[in-house]
């Protein structure tokens, strides 16, 4: 599994970083970025899905 | 106070959110509109006003900067005097492309990591306020969680961030009350109290020019757009935004959350027993009791799904209603303390996402944590009064303390 952030859609709600700081980081402007190449270890898959389910801008994607 | 409009008898065609009944019965009124075939209210008040109540319509307007301008974001009897794309309080009153330029100046000081550093300060402030409530007799003592607690938290934090005297707390609340709640008074009256706010801020800005220091006011005086310092109007407007947007909003969110816990003992017990549920509870407080309704002005005459909107009509963006729309949320009107899927728009949707959302979340989280840590058992006991206008929250919130930790 990999997570992605659509930086055009991200408005800096910061939900992904709050729920899954192992997978997402935020820059000085509050815009989310994936950590590394976005690969999600098995034990973090649930957190990745939570991040998707809580992004108000639908900016986070999952590729399985 | 001179309300130039009077009571509402017809919510569909003579809508007015500044009538006290609106915020008192908001959840009912929204549900009625959402269930009706006509989810958009209209009014000739305020020179023309529209209010859509479904998530779909609120969402559509929030993203549509072609037909709707942010030049005015607080519905009132007048119209903003500083035009788009800058508007009177940049960046909230700004439109693209200037909006992004003004917004990027203010994003770094409100980024998640910078705001996180304020946590110890906010926690200390909350504990001080609880200490100041004095001797508590469990089962008997009644404290006002809005007045003795919630209202003092955001105003102190934002005053410190701006580098303003915290002893002017009462004055700031007065300014914000004037701007946000006295919306149905004659334009001349509004001009007078806006002038008082401007004069106060001009004096603060002058003082910061003479004695620059490490705060947001000095920051705004120092930053540049394309090599140019900001105009005094821009600096003052951004400070108006930070002051007005940062006080009643968070005060309301804290108050509504305590109101919920004081009327839903099972949720209170769960939060006390399982503090880690706060990760989800925080967002559910924000969804179910979002305090902020924004507004836009119609740019040019526009047919919006059959609504004949006229140029310069106001349009409310009731994100709090959108957050409780059954078409968008499962069990929308239920408070589910550990809701797992929660794409609420309490901080708005689209390019104007609340600049202070990280600070607001921090204040709300810490304020509720500290309150329940000190008072693990309490109940609302007495008459609650609610604010009027676009920011919804309790202004009197008597709470009987049943146990003290």
């Amino acid at each position: 599994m990999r997570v992605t952030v659509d930086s055009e859609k991200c408005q800096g709600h910061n939900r992904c970083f709050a729920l899954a700081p192992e997978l997402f980081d935020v820059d000085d402007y509050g815009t989310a970025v994936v950590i590394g190449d976005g690969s999600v270890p098995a034990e973090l898959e649930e957190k990745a899905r939570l991040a998707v389910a809580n992004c108000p801008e639908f900016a986070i994607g999952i590729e399985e | 106070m001179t309300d130039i409009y009077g009571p509402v008898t017809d919510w569909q065609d003579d809508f007015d959110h500044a009538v006290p009944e609106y915020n008192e019965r908001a959840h009912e009124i929204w549900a009625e509109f959402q269930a009706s075939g006509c989810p958009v209210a209209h009014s000739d008040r305020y020179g023309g006003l529209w209010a859509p109540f479904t998530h779909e319509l609120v969402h559509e307007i929030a993203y549509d900067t072609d037909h709707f301008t942010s030049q005015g974001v607080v519905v009132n009897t007048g119209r903003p005097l500083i035009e788009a794309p800058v508007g009177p309080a940049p960046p909230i009153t700004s439109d693209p492309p200037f909006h992004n330029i003004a917004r990027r100046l203010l994003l770094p000081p409100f980024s998640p990591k910078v705001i996180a550093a304020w946590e110890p300060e906010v926690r200390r402030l909350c504990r001080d306020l609880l200490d100041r409530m004095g001797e508590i007799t469990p089962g008997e003592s009644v404290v006002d969680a809005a007045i003795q607690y919630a209202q003092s938290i955001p105003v102190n934090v934002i005053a410190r961030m701006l580098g303003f005297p915290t002893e002017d707390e009462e004055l700031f609340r007065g300014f914000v009350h004037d701007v946000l709640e006295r919306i149905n008074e004659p334009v001349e009256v509004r001009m007078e109290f806006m002038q008082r706010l401007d004069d106060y801020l001009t004096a603060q800005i002058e003082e910061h020019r003479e004695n620059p220091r490490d705060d947001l006011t000095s920051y705004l005086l120092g930053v540049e757009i394309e090599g140019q310092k900001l105009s005094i109007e821009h600096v003052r407007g951004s400070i108006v935004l930070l002051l007005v947007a940062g006080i009643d909003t968070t005060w309301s969110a804290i108050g509504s959350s305590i109101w919920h816990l004081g009327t839903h003992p099972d949720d209170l017990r769960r939060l006390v027993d399982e503090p880690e549920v706060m990760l989800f509870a925080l967002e559910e407080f924000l969804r179910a009791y979002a305090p902020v309704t924004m507004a836009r002005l119609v740019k040019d005459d526009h047919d919006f799904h059959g609504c004949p909107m006229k140029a310069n009509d106001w349009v409310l963006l009731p994100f709090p209603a959108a957050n409780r729309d059954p078409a968008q949320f499962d069990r929308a009107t239920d408070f589910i303390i550990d809701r797992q899927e929660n794409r609420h728009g309490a901080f708005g949707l689209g390019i104007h996402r609340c600049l202070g959302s990280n600070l607001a979340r921090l204040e709300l989280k810490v304020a509720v944590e500290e309150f329940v840590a000190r008072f693990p058992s309490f109940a609302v006991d007495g008459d609650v009064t609610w604010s009027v206008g676009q920011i919804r929250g309790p202004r009197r919130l008597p709470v009987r303390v049943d146990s003290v930790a």
Side-chain angles (χ1 to χ4, degrees):
Chain A
M1 183 191 274
R2 273 184 73 234
V3 282
T4 58
V5 175
D6 182 337
S7 58
E8 293 290 306
K9 287 184 178 172
C10 175
Q11 297 293 351
H13 289 264
N14 194 36
R15 300 286 293 118
C16 55
F17 178 61
L19 289 163
E22 304 87 343
L23 301 173
F24 302 93
D25 199 359
V26 281
D27 67 14
D28 289 346
Y29 297 91
T31 307
V33 287
V34 298
I35 292 176
D37 66 356
S39 296
V40 181
E43 70 275 14
L44 293 176
E45 287 186 359
E46 196 189 330
K47 283 197 173 188
R49 289 198 184 90
L50 266 182
V52 172
N54 286 277
C55 177
E57 306 288 351
F58 293 86
I60 299 177
I62 282 184
E63 295 165 3
E64 305 212 38
Chain B
M1 287 193 213
T2 331
D3 167 7
I4 65 173
Y5 298 123
V8 167
T9 50
D10 178 352
W11 290 102
Q12 185 79 56
D13 293 313
D14 186 30
F15 179 87
D16 189 346
H17 58 298
V19 171
E21 184 192 349
Y22 176 72
N23 277 343
E24 288 162 12
R25 287 186 52 227
H27 294 177
E28 266 172 77
I29 292 171
W30 301 335
E32 284 162 20
F33 272 105
Q34 286 162 357
S36 81
C38 188
V40 184
H42 175 256
S43 175
D44 289 328
R45 299 178 184 215
Y46 307 99
L49 169 65
W50 301 87
F53 291 99
T54 62
H55 184 277
E56 190 184 2
L57 295 177
V58 169
H59 187 272
E60 182 180 334
I61 295 168
Y63 283 89
D64 183 353
T65 55
D66 292 332
H67 295 102
F68 302 95
T69 167
S70 285
Q71 187 186 340
V73 291
V74 179
V75 170
N76 68 84
T77 45
R79 290 296 182 275
L81 299 176
I82 303 179
E83 291 188 356
V86 180
I92 200 172
T93 58
S94 310
D95 290 330
F98 183 78
H99 164 262
N100 193 44
I101 297 166
R103 182 173 171 86
R104 285 182 72 85
L105 296 176
L106 278 169
L107 283 168
F110 288 95
S111 72
K113 292 168 190 175
V114 172
I115 290 302
W118 280 84
E119 178 163 345
E121 177 92 359
V122 176
R123 210 169 279 284
R124 195 188 51 71
L125 177 63
C126 292
R127 288 178 183 170
D128 276 358
L129 290 166
L130 291 164
D131 290 344
R132 270 188 254 157
M133 288 176 185
E135 200 61 39
I136 301 281
T137 312
E140 283 179 29
S141 296
V142 174
V143 298
D144 194 309
I147 293 172
Q148 291 174 265
Y149 191 62
Q151 76 166 357
S152 288
I153 299 164
V155 70
N156 269 283
V157 174
I158 201 69
R160 281 171 220 196
M161 290 180 91
L162 286 166
F164 289 2
T166 50
E167 57 272 23
D168 287 348
E169 179 180 339
E170 200 60 48
L171 196 59
F172 301 144
R173 272 198 298 270
F175 290 144
V176 177
H177 171 73
D178 289 346
V179 174
L180 294 175
E181 301 202 86
R182 298 175 64 185
I183 59 174
N184 51 14
E185 297 193 36
V187 175
E188 316 79 72
V189 178
R190 285 193 60 85
M191 300 273 274
E192 272 171 41
F193 58 64
M194 293 305 281
Q195 190 60 49
R196 284 203 295 274
L197 171 57
D198 265 14
D199 292 347
Y200 178 87
L201 295 182
T202 303
Q204 288 296 331
I205 290 167
E206 275 315 306
E207 196 272 326
H208 276 78
R209 271 197 215 285
E210 283 161 29
N211 306 295
R213 44 200 189 264
D214 181 18
D215 59 34
L216 282 175
T217 304
S218 296
Y219 172 79
L220 283 166
L221 288 167
V223 289
E224 295 180 348
I225 295 176
E226 289 174 0
Q228 298 281 312
K229 290 266 169 59
L230 306 183
S231 66
I232 177 79
E233 290 77 18
H234 187 150
V235 171
R236 197 169 52 212
S238 286
I239 295 173
V240 169
L241 161 61
L242 299 177
L243 200 61
V244 172
I247 295 180
D248 276 30
T249 52
T250 311
W251 167 16
S252 296
I254 297 167
S256 293
S257 302
I258 293 175
W259 176 86
H260 176 85
L261 294 171
T263 51
H264 296 78
D266 292 350
D267 286 330
L268 174 56
R269 200 164 313 119
R270 176 95 185 265
L271 201 55
V272 170
D273 293 345
E274 277 176 65
E276 62 282 5
V277 82
M278 183 57 100
L279 183 64
F280 299 102
L282 178 64
E283 302 304 320
E284 186 64 346
F285 287 131
L286 287 165
R287 184 194 71 84
Y289 302 103
V292 182
T293 290
M294 285 306 303
R296 298 285 186 265
L297 284 163
V298 178
K299 273 192 190 170
D300 300 303
D301 291 2
H302 174 49
D303 185 294
F304 182 75
H305 299 278
C307 299
M309 296 181 170
K310 300 281 178 234
N312 245 353
D313 279 356
W314 291 105
V315 182
L316 282 176
L317 284 183
F319 292 107
N323 278 352
R324 300 174 68 96
D325 182 352
Q328 182 67 20
F329 293 91
D330 187 34
R331 295 173 62 194
T333 56
D334 292 346
F335 183 95
I336 302 172
I337 198 165
D338 57 356
R339 188 182 285 272
Q340 299 290 296
E341 181 172 351
N342 198 348
R343 293 188 181 89
H344 69 77
F347 294 112
L349 296 165
I351 61 168
H352 287 279
R353 186 269 304 166
C354 170
L355 185 71
S357 64
N358 300 302
L359 177 61
R361 276 200 174 91
L362 173 70
E363 291 178 353
L364 174 58
K365 174 173 126 22
V366 171
V368 174
E369 279 175 357
E370 291 298 323
F371 196 85
V372 306
R374 182 72 59 99
F375 305 137
S377 171
F378 61 87
V380 171
D381 186 357
D383 290 336
V384 176
T385 58
W386 296 82
S387 57
V388 296
Q390 283 174 237
I391 313 301
R392 179 178 187 269
R395 291 295 172 266
R396 283 181 188 279
L397 180 56
V399 160
R400 189 191 63 245
V401 177
D402 291 326
S403 69
V404 180

